[in-house]
């Protein structure tokens, strides 16, 4: 009987309590990895641990903005479970606002989670990966990092920073055999997406586009499910992608019309 693709691998996934992060944790666990699921809200990851059992998913409550807390989780996982071979950065926040109305707190909070949080986890984990000369990192960014969006300047800028950080890290670590890639979703059916919907027709406007906000629609005619993003992550952390690094994979149904 063939072993699951990620059997024997240990993965650390941030933002695993809901949405894309939860889907990533589930997908990696279903493919044989043992997952350390991190979220600052204990509820979702605790339910995941109960559903899968601690032999497959272990919950760790921590905030990615707290570097000491992240270092402690990494130390705990390495000591109790084994060497982390996969890191997936999913934790993120969105505070939609036009720039003129954007508060200092919202700007700082957005970068603290979406950008600095990625730095904290990557620094803690890839130090160990590079010593072992093995491992892979995937940062879940956003297609907003490459296409301007109204009322999303802080979010887009933070995701653009996290994307370039991940690529630079990939260049630094390439000779050690550690791969670093980005998955950039478009509109995905998550709580973060739904906070932008103000009426029942909002999903249709996402698909059809909104000329008033200079936004094209989704050529494939559907909003992504979290599992669509998780599948892209699972590919990039697998040996099937062993010669791919510093790549930014857009999973947005063609919404950004990228060449």
């Amino acid at each position: 009987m063939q072993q699951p693709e990620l059997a024997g691998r240990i993965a650390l996934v941030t933002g695993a309590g809901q949405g894309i992060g939860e889907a990533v944790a589930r997908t990696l666990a279903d493919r044989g990895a043992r997952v350390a699921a991190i979220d600052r809200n204990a509820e979702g990851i605790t339910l995941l641990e109960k559903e899968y059992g601690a032999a497959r998913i272990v919950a760790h409550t921590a905030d990615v903005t707290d570097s000491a807390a992240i270092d402690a989780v990494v130390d705990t996982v390495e000591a109790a479970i084994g060497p982390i071979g996969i890191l997936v950065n999913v934790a993120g926040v969105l505070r939609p606002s036009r720039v003129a109305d954007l508060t200092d707190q919202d700007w700082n909070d957005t970068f603290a989670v979406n950008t600095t949080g990625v730095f904290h986890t990557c620094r803690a984990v890839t130090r160990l990966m590079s010593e072992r000369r093995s491992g892979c990192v995937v940062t879940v960014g956003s297609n907003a990092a490459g296409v301007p969006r109204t009322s999303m300047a802080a979010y887009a800028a933070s995701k653009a920073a996290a994307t370039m950080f991940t690529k630079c890290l990939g260049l630094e670590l390439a000779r050690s055999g550690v791969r670093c890639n980005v998955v950039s979703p478009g509109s995905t059916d998550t709580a973060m997406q739904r906070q932008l919907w103000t009426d029942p027709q909002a999903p249709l406007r996402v698909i059809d586009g909104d000329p008033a906000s200079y936004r094209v629609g989704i050529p494939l005619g559907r909003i992504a499910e979290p599992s669509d993003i998780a599948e892209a992550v699972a590919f990039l952390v697998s040996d099937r992608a062993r010669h791919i690094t510093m790549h930014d994979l857009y999973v947005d149904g063609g919404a950004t019309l990228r060449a």
Side-chain angles (χ1 to χ4, degrees):
M1 182 177 177
Q2 188 175 8
Q3 280 195 324
E5 183 175 44
L6 300 178
R9 306 277 292 278
I10 296 168
L12 191 151
V13 180
T14 71
Q18 63 178 350
I20 293 172
E22 179 186 348
V24 168
R26 288 179 178 278
T27 299
L28 299 188
D30 289 343
R31 297 191 182 188
R34 189 171 185 190
V35 178
I38 296 180
D39 204 288
R40 64 185 179 187
N41 186 333
E43 182 179 2
I45 54 175
T46 300
L47 290 174
L48 274 177
E49 180 176 310
K50 288 181 179 178
E51 178 182 344
Y52 278 81
R56 298 175 67 191
I57 296 181
V58 182
H60 294 273
T61 305
D63 190 329
V64 295
T65 67
D66 183 343
S67 63
I70 293 302
D71 289 345
V73 169
V74 170
D75 289 345
T76 297
V77 172
E78 291 264 332
I81 302 176
I84 298 168
I86 297 169
L87 167 63
V88 187
N89 297 299
V90 190
V93 297
L94 170 62
R95 306 280 178 83
S97 173
R98 298 186 69 85
V99 172
D101 301 319
L102 188 64
T103 68
D104 289 354
Q105 191 65 55
D106 283 340
W107 175 271
N108 292 334
D109 288 349
T110 299
F111 272 82
V113 176
N114 297 357
T115 308
T116 307
V118 172
F119 163 63
H120 289 159
T121 56
C122 285
R123 181 178 60 183
V125 174
T126 62
R127 283 172 175 168
L128 303 169
M129 287 180 172
S130 62
E131 290 175 1
R132 294 189 285 259
R133 304 190 67 80
S134 177
C136 50
V137 175
V138 174
T139 295
V140 175
S142 171
N143 66 356
V147 177
R149 299 284 192 223
T150 58
S151 297
M152 294 180 68
Y155 180 79
S158 69
K159 289 294 189 177
T163 294
M164 185 52 71
F165 168 82
T166 302
K167 289 182 178 182
C168 289
L169 180 65
L171 183 59
E172 290 184 9
L173 298 178
R175 288 301 177 96
S176 72
V178 177
R179 299 184 295 107
C180 301
N181 292 293
V182 179
V183 171
S184 292
S187 297
T188 305
D189 192 358
T190 63
M192 181 182 288
Q193 175 68 38
R194 288 174 175 266
Q195 73 173 302
L196 302 174
W197 296 351
T198 57
D199 60 77
Q201 299 305 309
L204 291 177
R205 287 196 297 275
V206 171
I207 294 171
D208 294 338
D210 183 8
S213 62
Y214 309 101
R215 182 169 183 155
V216 300
I218 303 174
L220 283 183
R222 58 183 288 270
I223 294 172
E225 297 293 329
S227 60
D228 295 318
I229 316 307
E231 287 292 334
V233 171
F235 165 69
L236 286 173
V237 304
S238 75
D239 290 341
R240 290 175 291 148
R242 67 180 186 177
H243 204 56
I244 300 174
T245 194
M246 296 178 281
H247 182 67
D248 187 357
L249 175 57
Y250 274 51
V251 185
D252 65 358
T256 47
L257 307 180
R258 286 170 65 87

